[in-house]
């Protein structure tokens, strides 16, 4: 009877739609110095960005002369010197692909899975990272020359059917004027840009906050200078921000921006306001707000906004109070118009890199444009389907294997015999007639 009474009197809880799961990576704009511009979602309009802006596939970044910028994601970083332009061709769990249109870029890869692909494309070819390390790439958009310097790690340069591996302490220079001749030599010493990159990377390696956050959280190195860590019963180690006015609450300073990949995204104005607002959760402990990064054994997931904001649910604080973060606007802004492929400048045209198959299961992720894949439905009439144009999709079919003749973005045969390598390598000429670089 008691069980029957409990079943009758217990109200049925209304089911709420689940929070969307974000599986794609997000690159944080973590450093700005000088004139820096971004073009979101492959658009042609260049705007001035804000610190802590998340970038993903099809977003472009440009630096003026004497300017520098830095992008960080969970396992690496991209730093641009003055007069450079780069595009994030793809940011997913399976691959990170960057197109360097011109300028000087430094790529830092902290970790690399066996099934993960990290590649940088230029007008001369493709540079694929084979081991974690530090790499410098220079691209000249006027004559198509490319320079690769491997400070630490191992990389492979591919151009057509040719490929060559560059080891730590070496550099590869490819000159278009010399019929695509590639030369491997000893790398020159670091300059001012390299030393700046080393200082930025040292901040991450010696950060105290890395002891308390799960691996994979982006932006934890900025927490050291703006707060302290302490143990809280029931939560573990939590982070307290310091130097704030009395009565401060999270989500007090910032704004919402629209990103078609994720929807409304919160951008905090604090220099440390990336990790605490996209990972973990906020709570009150002993009368103070603190950030709980979450358990270290669980892989953190990037979130565009605080938990529960999509359905306007309040956040339960640790002291029993209810806190409601600012809700985003209800209206959805129009999407930026993309220029047609034939209208884009030659140096701005992105070359799609076919993803290397890693498993029979298609990789998870969101299409580059933030929308579901569009497929062509069969005509409803009895007329046969038109075959003049292939069906348009936002990316190649996930089950399709890379083409055998697509050697520009796939592994090619080594053009240089590794057995004839000498140390130190001063200069090396490829033997035999080599095809022209496309």
């Amino acid at each position: 009877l008691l069980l029957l009474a409990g079943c009758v009197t217990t109200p049925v809880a209304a089911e709420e739609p689940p929070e969307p799961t974000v599986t794609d990576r997000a690159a944080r704009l973590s450093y700005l110095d000088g004139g820096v511009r971004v073009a979101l979602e492959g658009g042609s309009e260049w705007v001035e960005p804000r610190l802590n802006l998340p970038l993903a596939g099809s977003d472009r970044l440009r630096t003026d002369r004497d300017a520098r910028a830095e992008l960080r994601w969970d396992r690496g970083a991209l730093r641009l010197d003055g007069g450079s332009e780069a595009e994030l061709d793809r940011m997913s769990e399976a691959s990170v692909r960057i197109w360097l249109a011109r300028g000087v870029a430094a790529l830092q890869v902290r970790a690399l899975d066996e099934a993960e692909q990290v590649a940088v494309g230029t007008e001369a070819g493709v540079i694929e990272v084979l081991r974690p390390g530090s790499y410098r790439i220079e691209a000249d958009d006027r004559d198509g020359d490319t320079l690769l310097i491997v400070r630490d790690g191992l990389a492979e340069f591919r151009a057509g059917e040719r490929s060559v591996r560059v080891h730590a302490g070496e550099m590869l220079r490819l000159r278009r004027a010399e019929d695509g001749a590639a030369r491997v030599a000893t790398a020159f010493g670091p300059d001012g840009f390299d030393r700046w990159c080393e200082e930025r990377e040292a901040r991450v390696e010696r950060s105290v906050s890395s002891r308390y956050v799960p691996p994979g959280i982006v932006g934890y190195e900025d927490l050291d200078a703006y707060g302290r860590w302490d143990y809280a019963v029931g939560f573990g180690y939590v982070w307290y921000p310091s130097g704030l006015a009395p009565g401060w609450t999270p989500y007090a300073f910032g704004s919402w921006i629209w990103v078609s990949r994720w929807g409304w995204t919160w951008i905090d104005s604090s220099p440390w306001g990336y990790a605490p607002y996209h990972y973990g959760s906020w709570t009150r402990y002993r009368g103070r707000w603190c950030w709980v990064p979450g358990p270290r054994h669980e892989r953190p997931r990037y979130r565009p906004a605080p938990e529960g904001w999509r359905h306007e649910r309040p956040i339960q604080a640790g002291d029993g109070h209810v806190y409601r973060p600012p809700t985003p606007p209800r209206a959805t802004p129009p999407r930026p118009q993309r220029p047609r492929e034939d209208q884009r400048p030659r140096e701005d045209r992105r070359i799609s890199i076919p993803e290397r198959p890693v498993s029979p299961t298609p990789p998870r992720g969101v299409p580059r444009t933030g929308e579901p894949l569009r497929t062509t439905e069969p005509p409803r009439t009895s007329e046969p389907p038109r075959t003049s144009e292939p069906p348009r999709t936002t990316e190649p079919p996930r089950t399709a294997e890379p083409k055998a003749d697509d050697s520009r973005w796939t592994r090619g045969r080594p053009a240089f015999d590794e057995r004839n390598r000498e140390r130190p390598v001063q200069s090396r000429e490829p033997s035999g007639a080599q095809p022209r670089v496309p």
Side-chain angles (χ1 to χ4, degrees), residues 235-249:
F235 299 99
Y237 281 95
V238 297
W239 180 78
Y240 292 93
S242 59
L244 301 175
W248 175 87
T249 59

Side-chain angles (χ1 to χ4, degrees), residues 15 60 72 74 77-78 80 94 96 108 147 167 176 189 200 202 223 245 274 298 327 329 333 367 370 376 384:
E15 295 185 0
R60 292 185 290 170
R72 291 201 64 88
D74 54 349
L78 177 70
L80 297 181
V96 175
Q108 184 73 34
L147 176 66
H167 299 257
R176 181 70 63 85
R200 295 292 301 177
L223 304 179
Y274 189 86
E298 294 183 2
T327 56
T376 304

Side-chain angles (χ1 to χ4, degrees), residues 379-403:
R380 299 182 179 179
T381 61
S382 59
E383 298 179 1
R386 299 180 180 179
T387 58
S388 57
E389 294 183 3
R392 296 183 179 180
T393 57
T394 55
E395 58 180 314
R398 299 184 178 180
T399 58
E401 297 291 337
K403 296 181 180 180

Side-chain angles (χ1 to χ4, degrees), residues 47-320:
V47 297
E48 185 176 354
R50 293 174 50 186
L51 194 67
N52 297 326
L53 177 68
L55 301 179
S58 301
D59 294 339
R60 292 185 290 170
L61 184 65
R62 174 187 294 176
T63 58
D64 297 341
R65 187 177 181 181
D66 300 331
R68 286 174 179 173
E70 179 189 65
L71 291 175
R72 291 201 64 88
W73 57 92
D74 54 349
R75 294 188 171 188
L78 177 70
R79 301 177 178 93
L80 297 181
D81 202 1
S84 304
E85 181 180 341
E87 179 178 358
L88 299 179
D89 186 79
R90 179 174 295 241
M91 290 289 296
S92 66
E93 295 180 355
S95 62
V96 175
R97 299 167 181 172
I98 302 168
W99 174 262
L100 183 61
R102 64 175 181 271
V104 182
L107 178 64
Q108 184 73 34
V109 180
R110 303 186 62 191
L112 187 64
D113 291 340
E114 183 178 357
E116 185 180 2
Q117 183 187 44
V118 178
V120 179
T122 65
E123 289 288 347
V126 179
I127 300 168
E128 183 175 0
V129 176
L130 303 181
R131 294 178 187 172
S134 179
Y135 306 88
R136 171 170 173 158
I137 303 101
E138 299 182 12
D140 194 338
D141 59 338
R142 294 170 299 181
D143 50 17
D145 293 351
T146 297
L147 176 66
L148 167 65
I149 301 178
V150 180
R151 301 296 184 188
D152 184 24
L154 176 65
E156 183 180 49
F157 181 84
R158 300 192 306 272
E161 297 181 355
R162 301 178 303 162
S163 65
V164 57
R165 292 193 173 187
V166 185
H167 299 257
E170 296 180 352
M171 68 178 182
L172 172 69
R173 186 185 300 273
L174 188 140
R175 297 185 181 275
R176 181 70 63 85
E178 300 179 3
D179 198 17
R183 292 184 174 87
V184 179
T186 303
F188 56 77
D191 57 2
F193 176 68
D194 293 325
R195 287 187 290 269
W196 173 75
C197 294
E198 293 175 359
E199 294 175 0
R200 295 292 301 177
E201 194 63 27
R203 294 179 64 255
V204 182
E205 296 177 354
R206 63 171 180 260
S207 175
V208 179
S209 300
S210 61
R211 309 173 187 173
Y212 308 104
V213 300
I217 287 184
V218 181
Y220 64 82
E221 65 275 6
D222 292 329
L223 304 179
D224 297 347
Y226 296 96
R228 62 180 180 86
W229 291 89
D230 200 356
Y231 185 81
V233 179
F235 299 99
Y237 281 95
V238 297
W239 180 78
Y240 292 93
S242 59
L244 301 175
W248 175 87
T249 59
Y251 308 99
F253 303 98
S255 60
W256 296 97
I257 66 169
W258 176 261
V259 181
S260 63
R261 183 179 297 270
W262 301 298
W264 288 107
T265 303
W266 176 263
I267 304 297
D268 199 79
S269 301
S270 306
W272 47 267
Y274 189 86
Y277 292 96
H278 298 291
Y279 304 91
S281 60
W282 285 94
T283 187
R284 286 183 66 86
Y285 184 77
R286 295 183 178 178
R288 292 189 58 189
W289 283 102
C290 61
W291 176 60
V292 184
R296 291 182 57 87
H297 62 276
E298 294 183 2
R299 183 179 179 181
R301 293 286 185 178
Y302 169 82
R303 292 198 313 263
E307 223 174 298
W309 70 271
R310 294 180 182 270
H311 313 301
E312 300 183 0
R313 296 195 303 265
I315 296 178
Q316 294 287 342
D319 55 359

